[in-house]
Amino acid sequence: MMMLKIGSHVSFSDKGLLTAAQEADSYGSTTFMIYTGAPQNTRRKPIDSLYIPEGKEAMAKSGVEEIVVHAPYIINLGSYKEDTFELAVRFLQEEVRRTHHIGVRNIVLHPGAYTDKDAEYGIGRIAEGLNEVLDGTDETDVNIALETMAGKGTEIGRTFEEIARIIDKVRQNDRLTVCLDTCHMHDAGYDLIGDLDGVLEEFDRIVGLDRVAVVHLNDSKNPRGAAKDRHAPIGAGWLGFDTINAVVHHEALAGRPFILETPWIGKDAKKQRPMYEAEIALLRGNAMERFGESFFDHVERLHHFFGKQDIDPKVFVLSTWETLKSDAKAKKADPREPMERLYDLVVEHQVLTDLSEEEINHRITAWFAGKQLLVNA
């Protein structure tokens, strides 16, 4: 049985790879993803100050073999502006070299946006940039993983065809892989909920599943085809736990690292916490081992309480998003997202006492996973 590689985006600040490996371990991860510096600027620490040997030692201890790097957002290979394009090429080459030094095989890249031109131009320009980047980093064995995009603004990579057309135009395309993002594919119009097999077969036909190197796991705050790209915690969005779980355990994606980029949750912005630990355990199927029996007693209590209130997870989540999206007055009166509303109900009715906000939210995350979870525990 192949070990499931599942983890999240973690911080690379402070002591670089060591900090990242320790944070990932605290969530029970078997892989993780880093940015080699701030995603929104070009400032980078020298490679020898990134605690790479110490980080690798920590990874070995927790059984993490493969991790992923994400390229910064400021890179736009689709730009027609010479200076923006040149910066993108040069900076991406540096990032590829840094990725190589850290010992990582895949760097995930948002392909780019065509801004004032058109998609045709964008595809050609991105391919031109990738040719330069790959030719200039021949000494590395790093692949660039093109991410499937939601289609907001003028971004390229909304369709599998666009990804395939970029790949076709790149000479060294044996060094191009793909990162599938569940929220992005859903927002771009692909039916992961009703026809996951069909979507993966379509991808296989157009691009080839052998190119998939990474999968980003995100629920979506928007209905299918919205072209928005707003991530929700697993279960707290339109995709729902079952769909994400089916992606993680799909035989066509076996062996790939699955990376959560779900939002951090909490009433006070300064004290927000990720749901990664619960999401990872639930998707791995080792929540009992991770959290113990009392966790399941609490989840059962939530099922009982929400059942009495006639609250169905899916109906509640989707109707809340629908209201927030389409009724400005209602949103102004109550801007709380689904998880916050559920948390407030639990606290108000004292369903779970003596637990921290994070612990309650972990249990709500498990409630999203359905009663099946309790049966299998």
Side-chain angles (χ1 to χ4, degrees):
M1 177 76 176
M2 203 183 293
M3 181 188 72
L4 181 65
K5 296 175 193 165
I6 185 165
S8 67
H9 164 227
V10 291
S11 169
F12 197 60
S13 57
D14 196 24
K15 293 187 173 176
L17 193 61
L18 179 59
T19 300
Q22 287 169 339
E23 185 188 340
D25 189 48
S26 77
Y27 305 138
S29 311
T30 45
T31 181
F32 57 85
M33 182 176 80
I34 51 172
Y35 289 83
T36 79
Q40 59 279 42
N41 65 46
T42 56
R43 287 195 298 280
R44 291 295 180 264
K45 286 184 189 167
I47 203 85
D48 55 10
S49 68
L50 298 178
Y51 291 80
I52 294 169
E54 296 86 341
K56 290 204 164 151
E57 203 176 311
M59 281 164 59
K61 270 197 192 117
S62 51
V64 172
E65 290 162 22
E66 181 182 7
I67 63 168
V68 181
V69 167
H70 200 306
Y73 312 135
I74 49 166
I75 291 175
N76 181 14
L77 292 177
S79 179
Y80 64 89
K81 295 177 178 161
E82 223 33 70
D83 52 347
T84 307
F85 181 77
E86 281 312 317
L87 168 85
V89 167
R90 204 173 57 245
F91 192 35
L92 186 52
Q93 284 182 339
E94 273 173 46
E95 288 288 290
V96 166
R97 290 186 197 109
R98 285 166 75 81
T99 301
H100 180 67
H101 275 294
I102 299 167
V104 174
R105 278 303 302 275
N106 285 284
I107 178 167
V108 175
L109 176 73
H110 294 175
Y114 56 81
T115 60
D116 302 334
K117 299 285 189 178
D118 58 25
E120 198 57 41
Y121 177 88
I123 287 165
R125 187 68 155 165
I126 291 163
E128 181 191 341
L130 288 169
N131 274 321
E132 273 192 58
V133 172
L134 292 169
D135 289 349
T137 54
D138 257 345
E139 75 285 6
T140 76
D141 60 355
V142 173
N143 300 320
I144 295 173
L146 302 174
E147 184 166 344
T148 58
M149 302 305 287
K152 67 176 190 305
T154 64
E155 61 190 17
I156 294 285
R158 312 160 277 197
T159 64
F160 302 157
E161 284 80 3
E162 284 185 343
I163 301 266
R165 287 174 59 205
I166 294 170
I167 293 170
D168 282 346
K169 290 177 187 289
V170 174
R171 288 185 295 275
Q172 289 198 53
N173 68 17
D174 55 321
R175 282 176 61 202
L176 291 181
T177 53
V178 175
C179 169
L180 298 177
D181 183 302
T182 55
C183 169
H184 296 175
M185 288 189 292
H186 165 85
D187 278 30
Y190 291 100
D191 186 7
L192 300 180
I193 303 166
D195 189 19
L196 176 59
D197 289 347
V199 173
L200 292 175
E201 279 159 22
E202 186 180 344
F203 183 87
D204 194 33
R205 196 175 67 247
I206 295 166
V207 181
L209 281 164
D210 54 336
R211 284 208 193 257
V212 177
V214 187
V215 182
H216 284 169
L217 300 175
N218 299 297
D219 213 324
S220 173
K221 294 184 178 182
N222 287 285
R224 180 156 72 93
K228 283 279 203 295
D229 184 17
R230 292 186 62 229
H231 299 180
I234 305 302
W238 282 77
L239 284 164
F241 179 84
D242 290 348
T243 298
I244 305 272
N245 196 45
V247 169
V248 169
H249 297 285
H250 201 289
E251 57 191 18
L253 300 172
R256 306 333 192 261
F258 293 94
I259 304 290
L260 292 151
E261 304 172 301
T262 49
W264 289 39
I265 298 294
K267 304 284 283 178
D268 175 352
K270 290 189 184 70
K271 293 185 187 149
Q272 288 186 333
R273 291 286 299 151
M275 292 297 102
Y276 301 150
E277 187 183 4
E279 290 169 336
I280 288 167
L282 293 162
L283 291 165
R284 269 177 84 176
N286 70 337
M288 180 63 94
E289 206 178 303
R290 184 87 196 167
F291 296 113
E293 216 157 305
S294 65
F295 180 86
F296 284 86
D297 293 341
H298 294 150
V299 176
E300 195 155 0
R301 214 178 293 168
L302 288 181
H303 277 287
H304 183 69
F305 167 69
F306 288 131
K308 274 201 324 208
Q309 303 272 330
D310 216 12
I311 293 175
D312 170 83
K314 198 150 193 81
V315 175
F316 181 86
V317 164
L318 299 192
S319 63
T320 306
W321 286 126
E322 203 51 70
T323 304
L324 291 172
K325 197 170 84 10
S326 57
D327 188 338
K329 218 168 172 174
K331 183 177 180 174
K332 199 172 176 202
D334 185 358
R336 292 175 306 157
E337 296 190 348
M339 252 185 119
E340 189 182 348
R341 294 181 185 213
L342 293 166
Y343 170 81
D344 287 346
L345 276 171
V346 171
V347 171
E348 184 194 329
H349 292 269
Q350 300 182 320
V351 185
L352 301 174
T353 47
D354 303 328
L355 291 178
S356 69
E357 183 181 33
E358 180 182 9
E359 287 169 334
I360 291 174
N361 281 324
H362 276 170
R363 284 148 181 80
I364 292 171
T365 303
W367 173 70
F368 286 141
K371 283 195 169 154
Q372 207 42 44
L373 181 70
L374 301 173
V375 179
N376 295 341

